[in-house]
Amino acid sequence: MDTEVKDFIEAIKEPWQAELAHQLRQMVHEAIPEVKERMQYKKPHFLKNGKYAAVISTSKDAVSFTIFNASGLEMPDELFDGPPERKTLKLRKGDTADTELLKPLVIQASSTL
């Protein structure tokens, strides 16, 4: 795991955002054991074979989790936004990261990278 990504998550001011970011990071590492992570554009990016698999970003009132290579995945439209090739889940205070839903999606999306 990359120390810059770790430092980024630890520096998130809102505890609920830091917890969600930590949970999402752990889930990505479980879903893609060979994943590489790095900070890019001031956000943690997760790569498989040099290609984007996922990204975590924070804003004032949300934590966003984007899954790349998402074309063809069956995802709940009410939860995810974005074009077919990348889908974003926006989590707000009080939301939970449904890793049981997300992990299989990340596995499937990254399987062809």
Side-chain angles (χ1 to χ4, degrees):
M1 291 189 180
D2 184 84
T3 56
E4 279 187 289
V5 172
K6 177 181 170 276
D7 294 345
F8 171 85
I9 292 172
E10 289 177 356
I12 296 172
K13 289 185 174 54
E14 292 291 332
W16 67 270
Q17 287 180 315
E19 179 60 28
L20 284 172
H22 175 74
Q23 290 172 1
L24 292 166
R25 180 187 190 205
Q26 286 300 119
M27 182 271 305
V28 170
H29 279 273
E30 291 170 12
I32 313 169
E34 68 275 25
V35 74
K36 303 287 184 212
E37 58 182 22
R38 69 176 179 211
M39 290 299 295
Q40 189 172 358
Y41 309 114
K42 299 181 182 180
K43 302 173 193 171
H45 283 70
F46 302 89
L47 298 95
K48 180 180 174 189
N49 297 322
K51 297 181 181 172
Y52 294 118
V55 65
I56 297 170
S57 61
T58 57
S59 63
K60 184 177 180 178
D61 66 346
V63 174
S64 295
F65 180 70
T66 301
I67 301 172
F68 292 88
N69 199 40
S71 296
L73 293 184
E74 298 210 12
M75 305 174 104
D77 288 336
E78 66 275 7
L79 298 178
F80 292 90
D81 290 323
E85 66 276 2
R86 66 179 183 277
K87 294 292 186 179
T88 300
L89 171 68
K90 192 172 276 194
L91 300 166
R92 296 195 176 353
K93 190 172 187 174
D95 290 344
T96 58
D98 186 349
T99 56
E100 301 225 355
L101 168 75
L102 294 171
K103 188 174 175 180
L105 294 171
V106 171
I107 290 169
Q108 186 179 354
S110 67
S111 67
T112 58
L113 296 178

